[in-house]
Amino acid sequence: MKIAPYVLVALISACKSPGPTTSEVKDLPALLLPGEVNAYKKYTPDQLAEMFKAGKAPAALPTGYGIGIHIIPDGTPAEVPASLVKVTKYLWKGKKLDAKGKVLRDDTLGPDLGVKARLELGTLAAALDRAGYAADASAVVDQGSSLLTDYSQIEYSGPAAAAAAPAKGWIDELRIVEEGEKPIYLGRSTYKGKFWGYLVIQVDPAGDSGAVTIPENLTLAGLKTLPVDAWEELFRAGKADETMFPSKDRIGTVVKGTGFPLIFQTASFINPIANKIWFGKNFKTELVNGVPKTMLKNQFLQPSGGIQLFDAQVILDDSRLDDGKPIILLDYRISGVPGIKAIRDEVRLVRDVTEAGVRRRLFLGPTFLLPEETLTAPAAAVAKPFEKVPVLWFALEFEEAAGSTGS
């Protein structure tokens, strides 16, 4: 992924400076913005307030891309972290609105920071109450309905969790102030129940909404191109039981799963590098006192041959993502290797498709690094938030001739 030189300069400057005051917040250069949006820079805060009150909520959730600006009056009461102000100043481009998914994704220069909000229609007062923020007099100007972008309602469960957590303080309300093929929304932005500033976006319904279509015949290759949101959606919709253990019906036979590490969408360049080292997992089920026991070894350096390391036992358990559904747990505590014992791999079957005489099973799941004493503790009993946050995602694909036994 390449980042334009002027973005790097801006990032370096941001790191060196103590952080801009709210009045210094800037957006994309005027030449890159629609003239209709730039026109709002000339209005005073009082004029913007009256225009907002006169605006109206959309009849339905919008879809498309909203390009725009922030207008931050001096002395606003919200205390916004300097890191968020800098992202707004140097990196923010616009908003991707996905009506079907009821989600908004902030678009930034350079890496995707993974910041999202719940998209809904309602009142700001109700949203602030739901989030547990005590609204001060600056936040709520009326009880009218608006398009709400509620960042507090998003639960992050990937590597972006720590970086995106401060953004959960935002709740914005927007209203249409100019209708047309590309309507203009004027919004009021609040942070933890206090007013911060105004937001103007022009929404192009044909623009990039960020919506993702997941094909029914999804393969490992196709999975690599999907965003983190789609991985979690697939995993939560997946299935797991003992009959789905890859080698369950092939007692004594090694069943190889081709793997790919989905480390982090915003650092996707790492994935092919990691895949030069790790190639998948080899499963084997044997009878122990008449009871099937499934184990695995990880395949390194080469797809076949190479080196097999780090034993794990395959059992059923509940997910650390706490969705009330079982997962296939790859339990490395038996490996005896410091560090490796702390790995908790979870998978579910997300696709089982037969095409052209070939049956393909695709498993997907998150990896957690946990203290050994909590590796198999119920998710509801885990108190520390980081213990429910995956460090990466990975996938395994098994292919066989249609009609053969097992996977």
Side-chain angles (χ1 to χ4, degrees), residues 10-164:
L11 288 171
I12 293 171
S13 299
C15 294
K16 291 182 178 179
S17 68
T21 63
T22 52
S23 61
E24 292 176 319
V25 172
K26 301 177 182 178
D27 295 274
L28 292 173
L31 290 175
L32 300 181
L33 290 167
E36 300 92 333
V37 172
N38 274 315
Y40 282 78
K41 295 179 180 179
K42 67 183 180 183
Y43 296 113
T44 67
D46 288 342
Q47 289 174 320
L48 291 171
E50 292 304 314
M51 294 171 69
F52 173 80
K53 291 178 184 178
K56 66 177 184 179
L61 295 179
T63 285
Y65 188 89
I67 188 170
I69 58 173
H70 292 89
I71 302 173
I72 314 301
D74 289 328
T76 57
E79 297 178 358
V80 180
S83 60
L84 291 183
V85 177
K86 289 175 180 178
V87 167
T88 303
K89 178 178 180 179
Y90 295 109
L91 298 180
W92 186 80
K93 290 170 56 181
K95 296 182 181 292
K96 300 178 180 181
L97 301 98
D98 175 9
K100 183 178 179 180
K102 298 182 180 180
V103 66
L104 173 146
R105 296 171 175 83
D106 277 301
D107 189 24
T108 54
L109 296 167
D112 177 6
L113 301 180
V115 177
K116 300 179 294 183
R118 178 175 173 176
L119 200 61
E120 61 184 355
L121 298 175
T123 66
L124 177 62
L128 291 173
D129 183 66
R130 178 179 61 193
Y133 297 135
D136 69 4
S138 69
V140 180
V141 295
D142 61 32
Q143 295 298 319
S145 181
S146 302
L147 173 65
L148 300 177
T149 60
D150 190 346
Y151 294 78
S152 73
Q153 296 302 300
I154 299 297
E155 295 299 330
Y156 297 97
S157 59

Side-chain angles (χ1 to χ4, degrees), residues 4 38 63 82 85 123 151 158 177 231 233-234 258 273 291 318 360 395:
N38 274 315
T63 285
V85 177
T123 66
Y151 294 78
V177 291
W231 304 340
E233 179 183 338
L234 277 164
T258 301
I273 297 174
V291 178
D318 295 326
R360 180 183 299 107

Side-chain angles (χ1 to χ4, degrees), residues 338-353:
I340 300 300
K341 294 191 297 181
I343 294 175
R344 177 188 171 93
D345 283 346
E346 300 182 1
V347 294
R348 286 178 179 147
L349 179 66
V350 297
R351 285 293 186 272
D352 187 351
V353 178

Side-chain angles (χ1 to χ4, degrees), residues 93-404:
K93 290 170 56 181
K95 296 182 181 292
K96 300 178 180 181
L97 301 98
D98 175 9
K100 183 178 179 180
K102 298 182 180 180
V103 66
L104 173 146
R105 296 171 175 83
D106 277 301
D107 189 24
T108 54
L109 296 167
D112 177 6
L113 301 180
V115 177
K116 300 179 294 183
R118 178 175 173 176
L119 200 61
E120 61 184 355
L121 298 175
T123 66
L124 177 62
L128 291 173
D129 183 66
R130 178 179 61 193
Y133 297 135
D136 69 4
S138 69
V140 180
V141 295
D142 61 32
Q143 295 298 319
S145 181
S146 302
L147 173 65
L148 300 177
T149 60
D150 190 346
Y151 294 78
S152 73
Q153 296 302 300
I154 299 297
E155 295 299 330
Y156 297 97
S157 59
K168 289 171 69 71
W170 296 118
I171 301 180
D172 300 339
E173 58 172 343
L174 299 101
R175 293 176 183 169
I176 298 174
V177 291
E178 292 188 41
E179 299 189 87
E181 292 184 0
K182 298 179 181 180
I184 293 180
Y185 287 74
L186 173 60
R188 301 180 75 256
S189 182
T190 68
Y191 190 80
K192 294 188 175 180
K194 295 182 179 181
F195 173 69
W196 184 55
Y198 293 95
L199 169 68
V200 183
I201 60 172
Q202 185 176 51
V203 177
D204 180 358
D208 180 10
S209 68
V212 176
T213 301
I214 302 174
E216 284 300 317
N217 59 343
L218 182 67
T219 64
L220 182 62
L223 188 64
K224 301 173 188 177
T225 67
L226 297 179
V228 177
D229 288 354
W231 304 340
E232 184 167 340
E233 179 183 338
L234 277 164
F235 175 75
R236 290 185 181 278
K239 300 177 181 179
D241 62 47
E242 289 187 354
T243 66
M244 297 176 185
F245 290 5
S247 58
K248 186 72 172 183
D249 296 327
R250 294 184 178 182
I251 303 298
T253 300
V254 175
V255 178
K256 296 185 177 183
T258 301
F260 196 86
L262 304 166
I263 291 181
F264 192 14
Q265 186 191 16
T266 58
S268 58
F269 63 90
I270 298 176
N271 295 341
I273 297 174
N275 198 227
K276 299 291 185 183
I277 302 172
W278 178 77
F279 286 87
K281 300 178 187 290
N282 301 326
F283 293 76
K284 186 176 182 180
T285 299
E286 295 184 308
L287 295 177
V288 178
N289 296 324
V291 178
K293 182 178 182 180
T294 303
M295 306 290 291
L296 71 81
K297 289 181 180 289
N298 284 270
Q299 183 73 37
F300 292 96
L301 300 183
Q302 295 178 7
S304 299
I307 299 175
Q308 296 185 39
L309 297 171
F310 309 137
D311 294 355
Q313 185 173 355
V314 183
I315 58 177
L316 280 183
D317 199 9
D318 295 326
S319 176
R320 265 298 182 275
L321 296 184
D322 201 13
D323 59 6
K325 296 171 57 179
I327 50 93
I328 298 173
L329 173 63
L330 314 182
D331 186 356
Y332 287 90
R333 288 179 299 168
I334 66 168
S335 71
V337 181
I340 300 300
K341 294 191 297 181
I343 294 175
R344 177 188 171 93
D345 283 346
E346 300 182 1
V347 294
R348 286 178 179 147
L349 179 66
V350 297
R351 285 293 186 272
D352 187 351
V353 178
T354 299
E355 290 182 327
V358 176
R359 185 186 186 191
R360 180 183 299 107
R361 287 190 174 189
L362 185 62
F363 291 80
L364 170 68
T367 293
F368 302 84
L369 289 179
L370 303 173
E372 186 174 349
E373 62 272 15
T374 66
L375 277 170
T376 57
V382 176
K384 297 178 181 178
F386 78 88
E387 295 183 4
K388 295 185 179 182
V389 178
V391 294
L392 58 87
W393 292 74
F394 71 99
L396 293 168
E397 187 172 59
F398 298 83
E399 290 188 355
E400 63 176 354
S404 62

